[in-house]
Amino acid sequence: MGITGRRNEEILDVVGIGFGPSNLSLAIALEEHGASAPRHPVTSHFFERQPTFGWHRNMLLPSTTMQISFLKDLATFRNPMSRFSFISYLHASDRLVQFVNNQDFFPTRQEFHQYLEWAASGLADRVTYGAEVTAIRPGTDRNGLSPDLLEVEARTADGTTRVVTARNVAISTGLVPRLPDGVTADERVWHSSQFLSRFNAQSPDDLKSVAVVGAGQSAAEITRFLHDALPHAQVCAIVPSYGYSVADDTPFANQVFDPAAVDDYYFGTDRGRDAFWRYHRNTNYSVVDADVIRDLHQRTYDEEVRGTRRLHFRNLTRVAEVERSGSTTRVVLRSLLDDRTEDLSVDALVFATGYDGLDPVGLLGDFDRHFQRDAAGRHRLERDYRLVPAADLTCGVYLQGGTEHSHGLSSSLLSNIAIRSGEIADSIVLRRTERELERDRPVEVAPPVA
């Protein structure tokens, strides 16, 4: 295995780890800073482990729409004049007039993905695809370990290990799919993050009975998709709540995703933060859009009228056990009402059971001990999303995700992505300016003693 790129390379201002929407938005913010200050552009590079740009490709189900306004794109809230806005994409695609005629704030998920791909293609020279970052460690200079530098090690698609030096890193490696304890994904047991690729690998005729576990938007959308795509199959929705709960997307509730709400949460009291979660979890977690709920309920009603039931709901029910036997999966369900169990045999089982947040420990390794944690053991963060160092470090480790405990509900969502990436870009630029001023400050020399 070859190693390239040690300290003979330029020292970058920032290395981005992951190139999904969050770090793509950061790259745009840095690009636009360079356009406004061409003599002092911020130098950056991004590493993405996927071979090409992609964002939740396995959930690009037909006719599914975004749950946020098209104006909450990669740049508009930070810079309405950005050439990377969704409006600019529509104009470049010659679809602006037609989109306006739709009279809808919510594009399809497929179209928004095309927008993200379009934006990423405009910054292709800033990213290395098929490269997985394996470690972040303290950097060195001619005097040894440097508090100002970081080394980032990445393994590229050809097996080469590349090491780059930077003053900052921005970690945005995305969410980690969550399965219940004891459940392992395979060709017939899927997490929703695998859904379309796993589904398309099967013959529809082999899927005569399918089940979906979960109470959120993805679970409901997959249930609807399977009901449409498999007209011969029995479809069972296993819901831990008493049916689906509606997402609160009313104007006042939506204010929890406004940029100003981040300040309210970050600088608020513990009591105030608790109130955010207690009153507003139903804006995003384990909830479903009202139109999807109505559609699924209408389907069950129509089937009841016709006397032919294919769509079944097991409410207040959890999966107690999963056992594979050949091409069939045996699922043991446990009712939360009376604790009774029920066996269900299915040809495919989909867990839409959410994700765990970003955790930088795997990348930081032993270096993680140089960053502070709170009383609950969580990383402490500055308002600019930078880890608080426990030692005298001047380099910066920024998180895009995994900051819900410090910055609130919008930390891993698209709603505040343009402002969040702009704040990180501003922080990187400001800290560089302060460092340059410190370096250039004249050294005062004491006058000679008479």
Side-chain angles (χ1 to χ4, degrees), residues 217 220 224 243-247 287-299:
Q217 184 76 16
R224 182 173 64 174
Y244 299 118
S245 298
V246 67
V287 288
V288 182
D289 287 347
D291 60 331
V292 178
I293 293 176
R294 292 191 186 97
D295 181 24
L296 287 171
H297 189 272
Q298 185 65 50
R299 293 175 188 226

Side-chain angles (χ1 to χ4, degrees), residues 303-322:
E303 288 184 353
E304 187 172 338
V305 170
R306 293 195 304 267
T308 55
R309 296 294 299 272
R310 282 202 311 116
L311 182 57
H312 310 273
F313 287 88
R314 301 288 194 277
N315 296 329
L316 283 176
T317 300
R318 294 190 179 274
V319 172
E321 185 180 341
V322 177

Side-chain angles (χ1 to χ4, degrees), residues 407-434:
H407 289 71
L409 280 74
S410 65
S411 293
S412 61
L413 305 178
L414 292 176
S415 293
N416 197 37
I417 191 170
I419 298 297
R420 181 172 70 242
S421 60
E423 290 172 343
I424 293 173
D426 288 345
S427 173
I428 291 169
V429 172
L430 176 62
R431 290 174 56 245
R432 185 181 70 171
T433 301
E434 291 174 342

Side-chain angles (χ1 to χ4, degrees), residues 164-180:
V164 296
T165 303
R167 301 190 188 282
N168 304 279
V169 295
I171 303 176
S172 181
T173 50
L175 302 172
V176 180
R178 183 195 307 129
L179 287 169

Side-chain angles (χ1 to χ4, degrees), residues 221-342:
E221 288 179 349
I222 291 172
T223 299
R224 182 173 64 174
F225 172 86
L226 291 172
H227 192 249
D228 287 334
L230 303 173
H232 58 283
Q234 298 293 310
V235 179
C236 181
I238 302 166
V239 186
S241 54
Y242 202 81
Y244 299 118
S245 298
V246 67
D248 187 351
D249 61 354
T250 53
F252 285 114
N254 260 346
Q255 289 178 345
V256 298
F257 302 118
D258 289 353
V262 178
D263 279 339
D264 291 337
Y265 190 93
Y266 184 88
F267 296 109
T269 63
D270 288 342
R271 183 178 179 183
R273 293 181 184 186
D274 179 67
F276 265 91
W277 289 103
R278 185 158 22 95
Y279 288 112
H280 299 295
R281 283 189 65 88
N282 65 342
T283 56
N284 185 63
Y285 296 91
S286 297
V287 288
V288 182
D289 287 347
D291 60 331
V292 178
I293 293 176
R294 292 191 186 97
D295 181 24
L296 287 171
H297 189 272
Q298 185 65 50
R299 293 175 188 226
T300 62
Y301 183 78
D302 290 345
E303 288 184 353
E304 187 172 338
V305 170
R306 293 195 304 267
T308 55
R309 296 294 299 272
R310 282 202 311 116
L311 182 57
H312 310 273
F313 287 88
R314 301 288 194 277
N315 296 329
L316 283 176
T317 300
R318 294 190 179 274
V319 172
E321 185 180 341
V322 177
E323 181 181 298
R324 283 295 308 278
S325 177
S327 61
T328 302
T329 300
R330 172 178 167 268
V331 187
V332 178
L333 305 179
R334 185 177 301 278
S335 170
L336 300 179
L337 285 171
D338 53 21
D339 209 35
R340 291 184 180 181
T341 60
E342 171 191 1

Side-chain angles (χ1 to χ4, degrees), residues 167 432-443:
R167 301 190 188 282
R432 185 181 70 171
T433 301
E434 291 174 342
R435 187 170 57 248
E436 290 170 348
L437 290 173
E438 181 66 25
R439 182 192 62 201
D440 296 338
R441 183 175 291 120
V443 177

